[in-house]
Amino acid sequence: YGLMLRIAALWNSKASKWVSGRKGLVSRIESETVSEKPRIWMHCPSLGEFEQGRPLLEELRKTFPDYEIILTFFSPSGFENQKNYPGADRIYYLPDDTPGNAKRVIKALCPEVAIFVKYDFWLNYLKELKSNGTITILASGIFRKEQHFFGSFPQIGRKMLTCFDHFFVQDQKSLDLLQNTGYDNVTKSGDTRFDLLKALADHAESVEIVKEFSNDHFTVVAGS
């Protein structure tokens, strides 16, 4: 996949950011890991998953103020929009999931807890986290029966699932799928993005142009 993106980077700006953001990245992570603080690492595939993980990350910041928080993204849309997010101590792209990269990154970060949001399962990173004794959690997970974890050839998918200490999933179907496959370390916790939306609504400020447009009528806003 990394090779294909490096080829696509010749003409695709998003792929180009994906590639350039990872140049020398593993060495930089190693050189910047100088603090003796315990660490929590959260990985988000993209911007939408960050919005799901954000309430949890901010709660962890309040609960464990002495911990260093590392935030990584797979996609440029996540990293470019949140590279200055003040709630994390360090923010990186996730280096390619090769055995060598995973070994070096996990050895450098040595997190006490690793949290993957929704999906983005990386075999080498998960294996290294398990070898390191890191508590590894999936937050706001969603599972469907057509995924490779449950299909005709589930071996690699199952190897990844066994690396997790606990799954927090969004719905009953996901919980049932995991439990029927033999995983009892599952909790149905809902979608954490709603926690963020509720917090935004509770502290919403009046916007004059919207107030004038709505004119006290019931108003539906749709967007993407």
Side-chain angles (χ1 to χ4, degrees), residues 37-223:
K37 288 183 176 182
R39 297 183 188 93
I40 297 171
W41 170 33
M42 177 177 280
H43 174 68
C44 304
S46 192
L47 186 59
E49 291 74 35
F50 169 75
E51 297 298 341
Q52 284 180 302
R54 184 173 171 179
L56 176 58
L57 198 65
E58 292 176 354
E59 221 27 70
L60 287 167
R61 171 64 90 191
K62 283 190 254 180
T63 308
F64 302 101
D66 296 331
Y67 276 65
E68 187 177 22
I69 291 180
I70 312 296
L71 176 63
T72 60
F73 290 98
F74 178 77
S75 165
S77 65
F79 179 82
E80 294 297 330
N81 279 285
Q82 296 297 336
K83 59 188 175 184
N84 297 314
Y85 169 64
D89 297 291
R90 287 187 279 152
I91 302 171
Y92 302 112
Y93 278 107
L94 181 73
D96 292 0
D97 182 43
T98 63
N101 281 353
K103 192 174 287 292
R104 289 173 64 186
V105 169
I106 300 307
K107 183 180 178 181
L109 295 180
C110 199
E112 289 196 9
V113 179
I115 302 165
F116 290 76
V117 180
K118 194 172 182 179
Y119 52 80
D120 231 21
F121 301 92
W122 299 105
L123 179 61
N124 294 304
Y125 279 106
L126 288 168
K127 285 168 64 178
E128 283 300 319
L129 287 166
K130 188 173 183 179
S131 297
N132 189 61
T134 301
I135 298 168
T136 305
I137 294 167
L138 183 71
S140 284
I142 286 224
F143 291 92
R144 299 179 177 87
K145 62 182 179 181
E146 62 269 17
Q147 288 174 308
H148 65 283
F149 306 111
F150 316 108
S152 303
F153 302 99
Q155 290 83 355
I156 292 178
R158 298 285 174 84
K159 280 183 182 178
M160 291 191 279
L161 294 183
T162 58
C163 294
F164 284 91
D165 291 282
H166 204 86
F167 303 92
F168 291 94
V169 296
Q170 294 188 32
D171 57 17
Q172 188 66 38
K173 286 183 180 179
S174 298
L175 185 143
D176 292 341
L177 268 172
L178 287 171
Q179 288 189 336
N180 292 337
T181 311
Y183 297 93
D184 294 322
N185 50 337
V186 190
T187 301
K188 185 177 74 171
S189 58
D191 186 345
T192 48
R193 185 152 33 185
F194 287 100
D195 294 281
L196 177 64
L197 295 176
K198 184 178 185 304
L200 290 172
D202 288 345
H203 299 93
E205 295 180 5
S206 177
V207 181
E208 198 58 38
I209 191 170
V210 177
K211 190 175 179 182
E212 289 177 10
F213 175 83
S214 299
N215 195 25
D216 294 327
H217 293 296
F218 179 78
T219 306
V220 176
V221 180

Side-chain angles (χ1 to χ4, degrees), residues 11-27:
W11 66 86
N12 183 283
S13 61
K14 189 172 182 180
S16 179
K17 287 179 180 178
W18 190 97
V19 172
S20 62
R22 286 167 168 81
K23 285 181 180 175
L25 179 56
V26 176
S27 296

